[in-house]
Amino acid sequence: MALLRLAHANGIRVAQCRGFATISSSSPPPRAGTVGPYQVFDRNVKRIQKDQAATRDGGARSTTVDYIREEVADRMMERFLDIKRKFNTVVDLGSGPGHFSKLLESNKANKSMMIEASEKTLHRDPDSEFEVDVERIHAEEEDLLQVIEPNSQEAIVSCLSLHWVNDLPGVLVQVKEALKPDGLFLGAMFGGETLFELRTALQLAEVEREGGISPHISPMTDTRDISNLMGRAGFTLLTVDTEEVKVAYPSMWELLEDLSDMGEGNAVIGRFVAHRPHKRSETQL
C-alpha cells in the first residue's frame, strides 16, 4: 500500500487563499446552479461502516486488523519525535480509536484532542491505554473549524483518514487556519497505487464477464496533488514523501474481510450500477 506522508511547520501566517469547505455530510444538497466540492464519497455510509466494524464481535475483529494503522502511526511518531519541542495539545484529526495518540508520551505532549466521525470507533478503546490526557470529540473532519477555534492549536496530526474526505482542499485550509503561527501539521494518507492489484483484477474480470465496470476502489491522491493542495492552502516549509507498506494475503477474500473489519469498505457514490446490482459469482472467482 502506498502512503503519502506530509509534514509542515507553519511559518509566517498568510492570508486565506480560498473558502472553507462549503458542504459536508451534514449539509443539505447544494441548490441547482451553485458550486460546491465534488462529492466522491458517501460520508454517511462510511460512518456506518466504521461503526459496524468497531462493534463487530465486541471490537475484537477491529483490533485484530489495526496492523496497518499501527505501522503507519509508528512511522509518523518517528517524524514527530524529530521535532524538539513539547506541545500542550495535539489534535488527532480522524483519530479512529487513537492509534497515534496512544504513542504520545508525557514529555512530548500534555493532551490529545481526538476528533472522529464514527462515535463507536472513537470510544472503542479505554483511557487506560493512553499516557497523556485525552479528549474525545465526535465530529466530521470536514467540520474542523466548528469544533476548533482558528489560530488556536500548536499541532494537528492525521493518521489514515483524509483519503475519505470529499473536500480535501477545504480540510487543508481549515487545518491551516486552526494552527497557530509556527504550528505543526503531520499527516499520512493512502495514495498512489494503493490496492492496485485488487483494483486491476476486479476491473479486468468485470470487463470480461459483464461488459463494463463499476467503482470498487477509491480514487487515490498522488504526491504532486498533495504538494499543490497544501501550497494553495497556505502551508510553507513543506515535506511530502511516499512509503510503501506491503501486506500479503492468501487470496482476495481475506483482503476484503480485513478491509471490512477496518471500516475501509467501498463508500464511493454510484458504487452500484442499476442494471448490475450484484456481482456475478463467476466474476468474483
Side-chain angles (χ1 to χ4, degrees):
M1 298 181 180
L3 302 172
L4 299 180
R5 189 167 53 190
L6 37 133
H8 153 76
N10 188 9
I12 299 174
R13 190 170 178 80
V14 300
Q16 176 185 334
C17 56
R18 61 151 281 168
F20 300 141
T22 55
I23 191 170
S24 72
S25 58
S26 59
S27 302
R31 297 187 302 274
T34 63
V35 178
Y38 181 62
Q39 299 294 289
V40 180
F41 307 113
D42 189 326
R43 291 290 296 176
N44 186 54
V45 167
K46 178 48 54 185
R47 177 187 56 79
I48 293 172
Q49 289 176 351
K50 296 175 75 172
D51 281 348
Q52 291 175 341
T55 56
R56 194 171 293 136
D57 290 348
R61 289 176 59 172
S62 175
T63 303
T64 301
V65 296
D66 278 345
Y67 53 88
I68 291 291
R69 288 189 170 88
E70 288 176 350
E71 174 65 26
V72 176
D74 282 337
R75 298 187 187 196
M76 286 180 59
M77 183 55 66
E78 291 177 5
R79 299 294 185 91
F80 189 77
L81 293 175
D82 289 337
I83 302 167
K84 304 304 180 184
R85 59 185 285 194
K86 181 176 180 178
F87 300 94
N88 182 45
T89 301
V90 175
V91 175
D92 192 349
L93 182 62
S95 63
H99 300 99
F100 183 88
S101 294
K102 291 176 185 177
L103 302 178
L104 286 172
E105 298 180 352
S106 57
N107 63 341
K108 290 296 294 183
N110 295 323
K111 176 183 176 182
S112 173
M113 186 180 297
M114 295 164 49
I115 300 175
E116 169 59 46
S118 165
E119 187 172 13
K120 296 185 185 302
T121 302
L122 181 65
H123 294 279
R124 192 195 73 180
D125 297 342
D127 289 350
S128 59
E129 297 189 19
F130 299 83
E131 185 172 325
V132 301
D133 294 335
V134 293
E135 177 184 358
R136 293 176 171 86
I137 300 176
H138 178 216
E140 286 278 349
E141 294 94 328
E142 295 179 354
D143 298 331
L144 177 63
L145 287 181
Q146 294 185 21
V147 294
I148 298 294
E149 292 293 329
N151 194 29
S152 63
Q153 300 301 317
E154 299 173 305
I156 298 177
V157 302
S158 181
C159 180
L160 299 184
S161 72
L162 294 182
H163 58 288
W164 285 120
V165 302
N166 280 308
D167 188 13
L168 182 57
V171 171
L172 292 175
V173 170
Q174 292 188 68
V175 169
K176 169 67 173 58
E177 290 301 309
L179 287 170
K180 295 179 179 179
D182 199 33
L184 168 74
F185 174 50
L186 176 67
M189 63 186 297
F190 292 121
E193 300 298 324
T194 299
L195 296 179
F196 173 78
E197 297 86 352
L198 178 62
R199 184 198 309 270
T200 302
L202 290 174
Q203 289 178 348
L204 290 175
E206 280 192 302
V207 169
E208 178 182 340
R209 296 294 182 178
E210 303 181 31
I213 62 174
S214 49
H216 297 288
I217 311 296
S218 302
M220 298 293 174
T221 307
D222 65 27
T223 309
R224 290 171 298 178
D225 294 332
I226 287 293
S227 299
N228 293 335
L229 290 176
M230 293 187 72
R232 287 171 52 195
F235 288 104
T236 58
L237 304 179
L238 302 177
T239 300
V240 180
D241 61 12
T242 63
E243 291 191 16
E244 287 191 356
V245 178
K246 294 184 178 181
V247 182
Y249 296 91
S251 72
M252 179 183 75
W253 306 112
E254 286 80 10
L255 169 58
L256 293 177
E257 183 178 356
D258 275 15
L259 289 174
S260 176
D261 290 340
M262 293 176 187
E264 292 291 330
N266 187 8
V268 176
I269 293 175
R271 57 198 176 278
F272 300 120
V273 179
H275 67 280
R276 292 186 290 119
H278 302 291
K279 188 171 299 305
R280 291 156 54 179
S281 59
E282 62 184 273
T283 302
Q284 295 175 333
L285 296 175

